[in-house]
Amino acid sequence: MTPAPYIGRFAPSPTGPLHLGSLVAALASWLDARAMGGRWLVRMEDLDRPRCDQASADTILRQLEAYGLVWDGGVLCQSQRDDAYAAALDAMRGQGAVFACSCTRSQLAQAPRNAEGETVYPGTCRLHVLPRVGVHSWRVRAQEVSVHFVDRIHGALQQDLAAEVGDFVVRRADGLFAYQLAVVVDDAFQGVTYIVRGADLLWNTPRQIYLQRLLGLPTPVYAHVPLVTNAAGQKLSKQTLAPALPERGRRAVLAQALAALGHPPPADLVGAGADELLAWAAAHWRVEAVPLHPVIANPAP
Ligand code: GLU
């Protein structure tokens, strides 16, 4: 059997400009794809209409280009893909794999939390099927299964879905499809075989593998790269006011991102431009050299 071709992707949510943390994730997936001679796609995860905007999507694409991270083909936008997500939800309804849930956030406030701080759904609407009235979400039944996978950086991992996650939402009460469903449908639609993304999504992976199995979709190979934090140990994000990638001084920012990925450029590349740095990194990329732990961003010069 010939191995599946390498297709990687970067899938930002356009809620603001890219910052150093998102650059690290984009750079890692770009380098991995280029080092493996694969294709690299960009997908706009603009599912959450109220939080996403076109201006941010345009900015992200401009920033990627400015940093030399050129993608292959067109850009798929999740806001255009509701029919595909609806078809996937229908398929799961047909299998009895999902149930309607009318629990509100306040009703779930006392539910237990997992190590990631997420609510573990206590099964209320699964156990007491109520007539479906008014707004409701759709949750997938988390079977008592242990989902195993091997991350290329974190090694062999497993999660007991029912105990550690519980039944999870695939369509929200406001009608929006959930990230977990959309990402699985789109990765399969685009033929993605390798996913390289931030470690904040590591413990989402078993949910996604579970959905892939329910929907009869292939499971890509995963690698989760370290997050970048500020000096207070908070993940760089819009909420923690991470600065946007600068337009000037790209070389120094790329060098910092490469160091965060365990590939600090050698001394003889000190005067090299951004393109030369990228070429060096693609030629020397080894996913095994990527560290496990979060890295702290250098303060802005
Ligand atoms: N859209 C997600 C984010 O920006 C990433 C999804 C993924 O890579 O699977 O955090």
Side-chain angles (χ1 to χ4, degrees):
M1 210 170 77
T2 45
Y6 187 111
I7 301 182
R9 53 49 161 199
F10 175 54
S13 305
T15 56
L18 297 179
H19 47 71
L20 181 66
S22 31
L23 177 70
V24 165
L27 180 61
S29 72
W30 183 88
L31 284 172
D32 201 55
R34 291 293 173 255
M36 303 262 252
R39 281 169 64 74
W40 189 66
L41 312 178
V42 170
R43 180 170 74 228
M44 281 299 155
E45 300 214 321
D46 53 354
L47 267 184
D48 193 344
R49 318 288 202 275
R51 289 182 58 238
C52 296
D53 63 273
Q54 186 58 41
S56 296
D58 294 343
T59 302
I60 289 172
L61 296 179
R62 259 196 297 115
Q63 290 175 305
L64 288 172
E65 273 171 350
Y67 275 76
L69 305 183
V70 179
W71 57 94
D72 298 306
V75 174
L76 188 73
C77 294
Q78 290 193 324
S79 54
Q80 309 296 312
R81 301 265 304 141
D82 274 0
D83 290 352
Y85 311 142
L89 180 60
D90 276 350
M92 292 195 292
R93 283 175 68 179
Q95 298 170 29
V98 292
F99 61 90
C101 170
S102 52
C103 292
T104 61
R105 214 178 274 259
S106 60
Q107 284 169 326
L108 295 175
Q110 302 307 319
R113 307 240 158 193
N114 66 15
E116 306 288 295
E118 300 165 313
T119 302
V120 178
Y121 183 68
T124 322
C125 292
R126 170 170 43 82
L127 300 168
H128 309 282
V129 181
L130 302 168
R132 234 189 290 142
V133 283
V135 289
H136 61 85
S137 60
W138 286 99
R139 285 181 186 269
V140 71
R141 291 168 199 277
Q143 307 281 357
E144 304 270 338
V145 289
S146 182
V147 179
H148 294 254
F149 69 106
V150 179
D151 183 273
R152 291 162 70 206
I153 297 169
H154 294 257
L157 299 170
Q158 62 103 10
Q159 188 178 54
D160 178 344
L161 214 61
E164 295 177 54
V165 175
D167 311 308
F168 55 95
V169 173
V170 283
R171 186 172 198 172
R172 298 171 9 175
D174 60 8
L176 295 179
F177 289 96
Y179 156 68
Q180 309 293 352
L181 180 64
V183 77
V184 159
V185 169
D186 286 341
D187 282 332
F189 174 68
Q190 297 190 284
V192 170
T193 46
Y194 284 82
I195 293 179
V196 179
R197 61 183 179 187
D200 51 335
L201 296 168
L202 185 62
W203 292 111
N204 285 241
T205 306
R207 261 167 273 189
Q208 294 170 17
I209 293 174
Y210 185 63
L211 289 179
Q212 288 152 4
R213 290 180 189 159
L214 284 177
L215 292 166
L217 302 174
T219 293
V221 179
Y222 290 92
H224 288 85
V225 301
L227 298 181
V228 183
T229 71
N230 59 22
Q234 298 163 311
K235 179 193 163 207
L236 295 191
S237 69
K238 191 177 173 181
Q239 288 71 29
T240 60
L241 307 177
L245 290 177
E247 284 178 28
R248 297 170 70 88
R250 293 196 293 265
R251 190 213 166 272
V253 178
L254 274 175
Q256 196 187 157
L258 287 169
L261 289 167
H263 291 69
D268 57 344
L269 281 181
V270 163
D275 287 349
E276 229 178 307
L277 274 190
L278 287 177
W280 170 84
H284 292 84
W285 176 252
R286 282 177 50 246
V287 79
E288 311 77 49
V290 176
L292 282 177
H293 300 294
V295 284
I296 302 173
N298 291 341

